[in-house]
Amino acid sequence: MTGSWTLVRAALATLTLTFPNLASADVKLHGATTVTFGLMRPQQAEIERMAGVQLTILPSSTSHGLTDLVQGKADIAMLAEPLEDIAAVLNAKQPGFVDLELYVGRHVADAYVQIIVHPSNPLKTLTNDQLAGLFSGRIGNWSEIGGANLPVLAVGEPTSSPHRMIAQALGISYAPDLRVVQNANQTAVIVMQAPGAISYISTAHDLPIRDKLRIVNSELKLPLQLHLAYRKDAPEQVLRVIDAAARVGAQ
């Protein structure tokens, strides 16, 4: 009997080497909160099941996600814009930081940017000129555009994709006294608390406090493409996660 168990254990050891326990593999994803809360967190269990891995998901921003991928801190970067676009932003700050020959970006889902204000704000629609004034500091009080007599508090996360996209679309620089937060979800928390606040989230942000915000109608229509980026030499378990996320995102 002892000899039989020895043979069984040897056979199991061989199988473990040949077919490793996929569920024990851990894949680290860092980056955009849009991708985190719009796709990866809500669908984490299904993606893990399909890919046969465990995921560690760290929400930060598109810029931080790609930076962590380049520096080897993450296996996958979650991006709220195409890889080439955010690589250009990072390379403008540090030439050669992202060598695009080493990375692949894959479009896995879609969302769009939403402008948010405190629910007590009586303005339901804002023009692009008004948005430009509010975010740039040119309009300092809501009463200037028919709102309450309250100072404008612009809130933003400067490393996020929506932050850059809004500035580019409106042709502005943000107000010097912009209230800076660490991730885009925190913009919603500030706006919920401050009657004079204005900021942004995306349709992909799965927030329990959405009913405590007002989504403003505007001329500004900014689509967000949700992407995952990875190294071309990434291990097979990373590729399985990418494929699983793309399948789930397409549903």
Side-chain angles (χ1 to χ4, degrees):
M1 180 67 69
T2 300
S4 297
W5 275 114
T6 300
L7 291 173
V8 168
R9 282 195 293 269
L12 289 173
T14 300
L15 285 172
T16 300
L17 290 173
T18 306
F19 303 102
N21 180 5
L22 299 179
S24 68
D26 180 76
V27 174
K28 298 185 289 295
L29 297 94
H30 296 185
T33 56
T34 305
V35 184
T36 299
F37 299 106
L39 177 63
M40 300 308 300
R41 282 274 177 86
Q43 301 296 335
Q44 181 171 350
E46 178 64 9
I47 292 171
E48 287 179 334
R49 184 193 67 78
M50 294 170 67
V53 301
Q54 293 177 340
L55 303 179
T56 298
I57 302 172
L58 178 64
S60 53
S61 69
T62 289
S63 296
H64 288 133
L66 185 54
T67 297
D68 285 354
L69 177 65
V70 171
Q71 294 178 340
K73 299 175 183 177
D75 302 304
I76 297 173
M78 300 180 289
L79 313 177
E81 59 189 289
L83 170 63
E84 294 77 12
D85 292 355
I86 184 57
V89 172
L90 295 180
N91 285 337
K93 297 178 180 178
Q94 184 178 338
F97 180 70
V98 183
D99 182 354
L100 285 173
E101 293 298 319
L102 302 179
Y103 302 95
V104 178
R106 184 164 175 183
H107 177 203
V108 293
D110 292 291
Y112 64 90
V113 177
Q114 296 175 310
I115 303 298
I116 54 174
V117 297
H118 191 272
S120 66
N121 193 316
L123 301 179
K124 297 181 179 180
T125 301
L126 293 170
T127 66
N128 279 1
D129 183 65
Q130 289 171 331
L131 287 174
L134 292 164
F135 280 117
S136 69
R138 176 169 53 84
I139 297 173
N141 194 294
W142 286 97
S143 62
E144 297 176 46
I145 54 173
N149 183 21
L150 285 170
V152 174
L153 174 63
V155 184
E157 201 287 90
T159 67
S160 70
S161 297
H163 191 85
R164 288 191 299 276
M165 293 170 69
I166 289 171
Q168 290 169 359
L170 297 176
I172 62 165
S173 295
Y174 283 94
D177 59 351
L178 177 80
R179 174 74 66 85
V180 174
V181 297
Q182 296 300 309
N183 64 61
N185 273 25
Q186 292 175 2
T187 65
V189 175
I190 300 294
V191 171
M192 177 188 70
Q193 298 171 343
I198 182 170
S199 192
Y200 47 77
I201 54 174
S202 83
T203 54
H205 284 99
D206 185 18
L207 298 173
I209 61 172
R210 270 189 178 274
D211 61 346
K212 297 179 175 62
L213 303 167
R214 170 170 288 175
I215 308 297
V216 177
N217 293 322
S218 74
E219 303 167 332
L220 196 64
K221 306 299 181 185
L222 298 175
L224 285 171
Q225 292 187 346
L226 310 189
H227 295 255
L228 298 177
Y230 56 98
R231 289 184 59 91
K232 288 182 178 178
D233 60 357
E236 196 263 341
Q237 64 262 27
V238 169
L239 303 182
R240 290 200 305 272
V241 172
I242 299 293
D243 287 340
R247 291 200 298 273
V248 170
Q251 294 175 359

Coordinates of all heavy atoms in Angstrom, one line a residue, residues 51-119:
A51 N -10.8 32.8 -16.9 CA -9.3 32.9 -17.1 C -8.6 31.9 -16.2 O -7.4 31.6 -16.5 CB -8.8 34.3 -16.8
G52 N -9.2 31.4 -15.2 CA -8.6 30.4 -14.3 C -7.5 31.0 -13.5 O -6.4 30.4 -13.2
V53 N -7.7 32.3 -13.1 CA -6.7 33.0 -12.2 C -7.4 33.8 -11.1 O -8.6 33.9 -11.2 CB -5.8 34.0 -13.1 CG1 -5.1 33.3 -14.2 CG2 -6.7 35.1 -13.6
Q54 N -6.6 34.3 -10.2 CA -7.1 35.3 -9.2 C -6.6 36.7 -9.6 O -5.5 36.8 -10.0 CB -6.6 34.9 -7.8 CG -7.2 33.6 -7.3 CD -6.7 33.2 -6.0 OE1 -5.6 33.7 -5.5 NE2 -7.4 32.4 -5.3
L55 N -7.5 37.6 -9.5 CA -7.1 39.0 -9.8 C -6.9 39.9 -8.6 O -7.7 39.8 -7.7 CB -8.2 39.6 -10.7 CG -8.6 38.9 -12.0 CD1 -9.7 39.7 -12.7 CD2 -7.4 38.7 -12.9
T56 N -5.9 40.7 -8.7 CA -5.7 41.8 -7.7 C -5.9 43.1 -8.4 O -5.1 43.4 -9.3 CB -4.3 41.7 -7.0 OG1 -4.1 40.5 -6.4 CG2 -4.1 42.8 -6.1
I57 N -6.9 43.8 -8.1 CA -7.3 45.0 -8.8 C -7.0 46.3 -8.0 O -7.6 46.4 -6.9 CB -8.8 44.9 -9.3 CG1 -9.0 43.7 -10.1 CG2 -9.1 46.2 -10.0 CD1 -10.4 43.4 -10.4
L58 N -6.2 47.2 -8.5 CA -5.9 48.4 -7.7 C -6.3 49.6 -8.6 O -5.7 49.9 -9.6 CB -4.4 48.5 -7.5 CG -3.9 49.7 -6.8 CD1 -4.5 49.8 -5.4 CD2 -2.3 49.8 -6.7
P59 N -7.4 50.3 -8.1 CA -7.8 51.5 -8.9 C -6.9 52.7 -8.6 O -6.6 52.9 -7.4 CB -9.3 51.7 -8.3 CG -9.3 51.1 -7.0 CD -8.3 49.9 -7.0
S60 N -6.6 53.4 -9.6 CA -5.8 54.6 -9.5 C -6.2 55.6 -10.6 O -7.2 56.3 -10.5 CB -4.3 54.3 -9.4 OG -3.9 53.6 -10.6
S61 N -5.5 55.5 -11.7 CA -5.8 56.3 -12.9 C -5.1 55.7 -14.1 O -4.3 54.8 -14.0 CB -5.3 57.8 -12.7 OG -3.9 57.8 -12.7
T62 N -5.5 56.2 -15.3 CA -4.9 55.7 -16.5 C -3.4 55.9 -16.5 O -2.6 55.0 -16.8 CB -5.5 56.4 -17.7 OG1 -6.9 55.9 -17.9 CG2 -4.8 56.1 -19.0
S63 N -2.9 57.1 -16.1 CA -1.5 57.4 -16.1 C -0.8 56.5 -15.1 O 0.3 55.9 -15.5 CB -1.3 58.8 -15.7 OG -1.8 59.7 -16.7
H64 N -1.3 56.3 -13.9 CA -0.6 55.5 -12.9 C -0.6 54.0 -13.3 O 0.3 53.3 -13.1 CB -1.3 55.7 -11.6 CG -1.1 57.0 -10.9 ND1 -2.1 57.7 -10.4 CD2 0.1 57.7 -10.7 CE1 -1.5 58.8 -9.9 NE2 -0.2 58.8 -10.1
G65 N -1.7 53.6 -14.0 CA -1.8 52.2 -14.4 C -0.7 51.9 -15.4 O 0.0 50.9 -15.3
L66 N -0.5 52.7 -16.4 CA 0.5 52.5 -17.4 C 1.9 52.6 -16.8 O 2.8 51.8 -17.2 CB 0.4 53.4 -18.6 CG 1.3 53.1 -19.8 CD1 1.2 51.7 -20.3 CD2 1.0 54.1 -21.0
T67 N 2.1 53.6 -15.9 CA 3.4 53.7 -15.3 C 3.7 52.5 -14.5 O 4.9 52.0 -14.5 CB 3.3 54.9 -14.3 OG1 3.1 56.1 -15.1 CG2 4.6 55.1 -13.5
D68 N 2.7 51.9 -13.8 CA 3.0 50.7 -13.0 C 3.3 49.5 -13.9 O 4.1 48.7 -13.6 CB 1.8 50.4 -12.1 CG 1.7 51.3 -10.9 OD1 2.6 52.1 -10.7 OD2 0.7 51.2 -10.2
L69 N 2.7 49.4 -15.1 CA 3.0 48.4 -16.0 C 4.4 48.5 -16.5 O 5.1 47.5 -16.6 CB 2.0 48.4 -17.2 CG 2.2 47.4 -18.3 CD1 2.0 46.0 -17.8 CD2 1.3 47.7 -19.5
V70 N 4.8 49.7 -16.9 CA 6.2 49.9 -17.4 C 7.2 49.6 -16.3 O 8.3 49.0 -16.6 CB 6.3 51.3 -17.9 CG1 7.8 51.7 -18.2 CG2 5.4 51.6 -19.1
Q71 N 6.9 49.9 -15.1 CA 7.8 49.7 -14.0 C 7.8 48.3 -13.4 O 8.5 48.0 -12.5 CB 7.6 50.8 -12.9 CG 7.9 52.2 -13.4 CD 7.6 53.2 -12.3 OE1 6.9 53.0 -11.3 NE2 8.2 54.4 -12.4
G72 N 6.9 47.4 -14.0 CA 6.9 46.1 -13.5 C 6.0 45.9 -12.3 O 6.1 44.8 -11.7
K73 N 5.3 46.9 -11.8 CA 4.5 46.7 -10.6 C 3.1 46.1 -10.9 O 2.4 45.7 -10.0 CB 4.3 48.1 -10.0 CG 5.6 48.7 -9.5 CD 5.3 50.2 -9.0 CE 6.6 50.9 -8.6 NZ 6.3 52.2 -8.2
A74 N 2.7 46.1 -12.2 CA 1.4 45.5 -12.6 C 1.6 44.6 -13.8 O 2.5 44.8 -14.6 CB 0.4 46.7 -12.9
D75 N 0.7 43.6 -14.0 CA 0.7 42.8 -15.1 C -0.1 43.4 -16.3 O 0.2 43.1 -17.4 CB 0.2 41.4 -14.8 CG 1.0 40.7 -13.6 OD1 2.2 40.6 -13.8 OD2 0.4 40.4 -12.6
I76 N -1.1 44.1 -15.9 CA -2.1 44.7 -16.9 C -2.4 46.1 -16.4 O -2.6 46.4 -15.2 CB -3.4 43.9 -17.0 CG1 -3.1 42.5 -17.5 CG2 -4.4 44.6 -17.9 CD1 -4.3 41.6 -17.4
A77 N -2.4 47.1 -17.3 CA -2.8 48.4 -17.1 C -4.2 48.6 -17.6 O -4.5 48.3 -18.7 CB -1.8 49.4 -17.8
M78 N -5.0 49.2 -16.7 CA -6.4 49.6 -17.1 C -6.4 51.0 -17.5 O -6.0 51.9 -16.8 CB -7.3 49.4 -15.9 CG -7.3 48.0 -15.3 SD -8.5 47.7 -13.9 CE -7.5 48.6 -12.6
L79 N -6.8 51.2 -18.8 CA -6.7 52.5 -19.4 C -8.1 53.0 -19.9 O -8.9 52.2 -20.5 CB -5.8 52.5 -20.6 CG -4.4 51.8 -20.4 CD1 -3.7 51.8 -21.8 CD2 -3.6 52.5 -19.3
A80 N -8.4 54.3 -19.7 CA -9.6 54.9 -20.2 C -9.4 55.6 -21.4 O -10.2 56.5 -21.8 CB -10.3 55.8 -19.1
E81 N -8.4 55.3 -22.2 CA -8.1 55.8 -23.5 C -7.1 54.9 -24.2 O -6.5 54.0 -23.5 CB -7.5 57.2 -23.4 CG -6.2 57.4 -22.6 CD -5.9 58.8 -22.3 OE1 -5.4 59.4 -23.3 OE2 -6.0 59.2 -21.2
P82 N -6.9 55.0 -25.5 CA -6.0 54.1 -26.2 C -4.6 54.2 -25.6 O -4.1 55.3 -25.2 CB -6.1 54.6 -27.6 CG -7.4 55.3 -27.7 CD -7.7 55.9 -26.4
L83 N -3.9 53.1 -25.7 CA -2.5 53.0 -25.2 C -1.6 54.1 -25.8 O -0.8 54.7 -25.1 CB -2.0 51.6 -25.5 CG -0.5 51.4 -25.3 CD1 -0.1 51.6 -23.8 CD2 -0.1 50.0 -25.8
E84 N -1.8 54.3 -27.1 CA -0.9 55.3 -27.8 C -1.1 56.7 -27.3 O -0.2 57.5 -27.2 CB -1.2 55.2 -29.3 CG -0.8 53.9 -30.0 CD -1.8 52.8 -29.8 OE1 -2.9 53.1 -29.2 OE2 -1.5 51.6 -30.1
D85 N -2.4 57.0 -26.9 CA -2.6 58.4 -26.4 C -2.0 58.6 -25.1 O -1.4 59.7 -24.9 CB -4.2 58.6 -26.4 CG -4.8 58.6 -27.7 OD1 -4.1 58.6 -28.7 OD2 -6.0 58.7 -27.8
I86 N -2.2 57.7 -24.1 CA -1.6 57.9 -22.8 C -0.1 57.8 -22.8 O 0.6 58.5 -22.1 CB -2.3 57.0 -21.8 CG1 -1.7 57.3 -20.4 CG2 -2.0 55.6 -22.1 CD1 -1.9 58.8 -19.9
A87 N 0.4 56.9 -23.7 CA 1.9 56.8 -23.9 C 2.5 58.1 -24.3 O 3.6 58.6 -23.9 CB 2.2 55.7 -24.8
A88 N 1.8 58.8 -25.2 CA 2.3 60.1 -25.7 C 2.3 61.1 -24.6 O 3.2 61.9 -24.5 CB 1.4 60.6 -26.8
V89 N 1.3 61.1 -23.7 CA 1.3 62.0 -22.5 C 2.5 61.7 -21.6 O 3.2 62.7 -21.2 CB 0.0 61.9 -21.8 CG1 0.0 62.7 -20.5 CG2 -1.2 62.3 -22.6
L90 N 2.7 60.5 -21.3 CA 3.8 60.1 -20.4 C 5.2 60.4 -21.0 O 6.1 60.9 -20.4 CB 3.7 58.7 -20.0 CG 2.5 58.3 -19.1 CD1 2.5 56.8 -18.8 CD2 2.4 59.1 -17.9
N91 N 5.3 60.1 -22.3 CA 6.6 60.4 -23.0 C 6.9 61.8 -23.2 O 8.0 62.2 -23.3 CB 6.6 59.7 -24.4 CG 6.8 58.2 -24.2 OD1 7.3 57.7 -23.2 ND2 6.4 57.4 -25.2
A92 N 5.8 62.7 -23.2 CA 6.0 64.1 -23.3 C 6.7 64.6 -22.0 O 7.5 65.6 -22.0 CB 4.7 64.8 -23.5
K93 N 6.3 64.0 -20.9 CA 6.9 64.3 -19.6 C 8.3 63.7 -19.4 O 9.2 64.3 -18.8 CB 6.0 63.9 -18.4 CG 4.6 64.6 -18.5 CD 3.7 64.0 -17.3 CE 2.4 64.7 -17.3 NZ 1.5 64.1 -16.3
Q94 N 8.5 62.5 -19.9 CA 9.7 61.7 -19.7 C 10.0 61.0 -21.0 O 9.5 59.9 -21.2 CB 9.7 60.8 -18.5 CG 11.0 60.0 -18.3 CD 10.9 59.1 -17.1 OE1 10.0 59.3 -16.2 NE2 11.7 58.1 -17.0
P95 N 10.7 61.6 -22.0 CA 10.9 61.0 -23.3 C 11.5 59.6 -23.2 O 12.4 59.3 -22.4 CB 12.0 62.0 -23.9 CG 11.7 63.3 -23.3 CD 11.3 63.0 -21.8
G96 N 10.8 58.7 -24.0 CA 11.2 57.3 -24.0 C 10.8 56.5 -22.9 O 11.1 55.3 -22.8
F97 N 9.9 57.0 -22.0 CA 9.5 56.2 -20.9 C 8.7 55.0 -21.3 O 8.8 53.9 -20.8 CB 8.6 57.1 -19.9 CG 8.1 56.3 -18.7 CD1 8.9 56.0 -17.7 CD2 6.7 56.0 -18.6 CE1 8.5 55.3 -16.6 CE2 6.3 55.4 -17.5 CZ 7.1 55.0 -16.5
V98 N 7.8 55.2 -22.3 CA 7.0 54.0 -22.8 C 7.4 53.7 -24.2 O 7.3 54.5 -25.1 CB 5.5 54.4 -22.8 CG1 4.7 53.2 -23.3 CG2 5.0 54.9 -21.5
D99 N 8.0 52.5 -24.3 CA 8.4 52.0 -25.6 C 7.2 51.2 -26.2 O 7.0 50.0 -25.8 CB 9.7 51.1 -25.5 CG 10.2 50.6 -26.9 OD1 9.5 50.8 -27.9 OD2 11.2 50.0 -26.9
L100 N 6.5 51.8 -27.1 CA 5.3 51.1 -27.6 C 5.6 49.8 -28.3 O 4.6 49.0 -28.5 CB 4.5 52.1 -28.5 CG 3.8 53.2 -27.8 CD1 3.2 54.2 -28.9 CD2 2.7 52.7 -27.0
E101 N 6.8 49.6 -28.7 CA 7.1 48.3 -29.3 C 7.0 47.1 -28.4 O 6.9 46.0 -28.8 CB 8.6 48.4 -29.9 CG 8.8 49.3 -31.0 CD 7.9 48.9 -32.2 OE1 7.9 47.7 -32.5 OE2 7.3 49.8 -32.9
L102 N 7.0 47.4 -27.1 CA 7.0 46.4 -26.1 C 5.6 46.1 -25.5 O 5.4 45.1 -24.8 CB 7.8 46.8 -24.9 CG 9.3 47.1 -25.1 CD1 10.0 47.5 -23.9 CD2 10.0 45.9 -25.8
Y103 N 4.6 46.9 -25.9 CA 3.2 46.7 -25.3 C 2.1 46.6 -26.3 O 2.3 47.0 -27.5 CB 3.0 47.9 -24.4 CG 4.0 48.1 -23.4 CD1 5.1 49.0 -23.6 CD2 3.9 47.4 -22.2 CE1 6.1 49.1 -22.6 CE2 4.9 47.5 -21.2 CZ 6.0 48.4 -21.4 OH 6.9 48.5 -20.5
V104 N 1.0 46.0 -25.9 CA -0.2 45.9 -26.7 C -1.4 46.5 -25.9 O -1.5 46.3 -24.7 CB -0.5 44.4 -26.9 CG1 -1.8 44.2 -27.7 CG2 0.7 43.7 -27.6
G105 N -2.2 47.2 -26.6 CA -3.4 47.7 -26.0 C -4.6 47.1 -26.6 O -4.7 46.9 -27.8
R106 N -5.6 46.7 -25.8 CA -6.8 46.1 -26.4 C -8.1 46.8 -25.9 O -8.3 47.0 -24.7 CB -6.9 44.6 -26.0 CG -8.1 43.9 -26.7 CD -7.9 42.4 -26.6 NE -9.0 41.7 -27.1 CZ -9.1 40.3 -27.1 NH1 -8.1 39.6 -26.6 NH2 -10.2 39.8 -27.5
H107 N -9.0 47.2 -26.8 CA -10.2 47.8 -26.5 C -11.2 46.8 -26.0 O -11.5 45.8 -26.8 CB -10.7 48.5 -27.8 CG -12.1 49.2 -27.6 ND1 -12.9 49.4 -28.7 CD2 -12.7 49.6 -26.5 CE1 -14.0 50.0 -28.3 NE2 -13.9 50.1 -27.0
V108 N -11.7 46.9 -24.8 CA -12.6 45.9 -24.2 C -14.0 46.3 -23.9 O -14.8 45.5 -23.7 CB -11.9 45.3 -22.9 CG1 -10.6 44.5 -23.3 CG2 -11.6 46.3 -21.9
A109 N -14.2 47.6 -23.8 CA -15.6 48.1 -23.5 C -15.7 49.6 -23.8 O -14.7 50.2 -24.1 CB -15.9 47.8 -22.0
D110 N -16.9 50.2 -23.5 CA -17.1 51.6 -23.8 C -17.9 52.3 -22.7 O -18.6 51.6 -22.0 CB -17.9 51.8 -25.1 CG -17.1 51.3 -26.3 OD1 -16.1 52.0 -26.7 OD2 -17.4 50.3 -27.0
A111 N -17.7 53.6 -22.6 CA -18.4 54.4 -21.6 C -18.4 55.8 -22.2 O -17.8 56.1 -23.2 CB -17.8 54.3 -20.2
Y112 N -18.9 56.8 -21.4 CA -18.7 58.2 -21.8 C -18.7 59.0 -20.5 O -19.2 58.6 -19.4 CB -19.8 58.7 -22.8 CG -21.2 58.6 -22.3 CD1 -21.8 59.8 -21.7 CD2 -22.1 57.5 -22.5 CE1 -23.1 59.8 -21.2 CE2 -23.4 57.5 -22.0 CZ -23.9 58.7 -21.4 OH -25.2 58.7 -21.0
V113 N -18.2 60.2 -20.7 CA -18.0 61.2 -19.5 C -19.3 61.8 -19.2 O -20.1 62.2 -20.1 CB -16.9 62.2 -19.9 CG1 -16.8 63.2 -18.7 CG2 -15.6 61.5 -20.2
Q114 N -19.6 62.0 -17.9 CA -20.7 62.8 -17.4 C -20.3 63.9 -16.5 O -19.4 63.8 -15.7 CB -21.7 61.8 -16.6 CG -22.3 60.7 -17.4 CD -23.1 59.8 -16.6 OE1 -22.6 59.3 -15.5 NE2 -24.3 59.5 -17.0
I115 N -20.9 65.1 -16.7 CA -20.7 66.2 -15.8 C -21.6 66.1 -14.6 O -22.8 65.9 -14.8 CB -20.9 67.5 -16.6 CG1 -20.0 67.6 -17.8 CG2 -20.6 68.7 -15.6 CD1 -18.5 67.5 -17.5
I116 N -21.1 66.3 -13.4 CA -21.9 66.2 -12.2 C -21.9 67.4 -11.3 O -20.8 68.1 -11.3 CB -21.5 65.0 -11.3 CG1 -20.0 65.0 -11.0 CG2 -21.8 63.7 -12.1 CD1 -19.5 63.9 -10.1
V117 N -23.0 67.7 -10.7 CA -23.1 68.8 -9.7 C -23.9 68.4 -8.5 O -24.5 67.3 -8.6 CB -23.8 70.1 -10.4 CG1 -23.0 70.6 -11.5 CG2 -25.2 69.8 -10.8
H118 N -23.9 69.2 -7.5 CA -24.7 68.9 -6.3 C -26.2 68.8 -6.6 O -26.7 69.6 -7.5 CB -24.4 69.9 -5.2 CG -25.0 69.6 -3.9 ND1 -26.3 69.9 -3.5 CD2 -24.4 68.9 -2.8 CE1 -26.4 69.4 -2.2 NE2 -25.3 68.9 -1.8
P119 N -27.0 67.9 -6.0 CA -28.4 67.8 -6.4 C -29.2 69.0 -6.2 O -30.3 69.2 -6.8 CB -28.9 66.6 -5.5 CG -27.9 66.5 -4.5 CD -26.6 66.9 -5.1

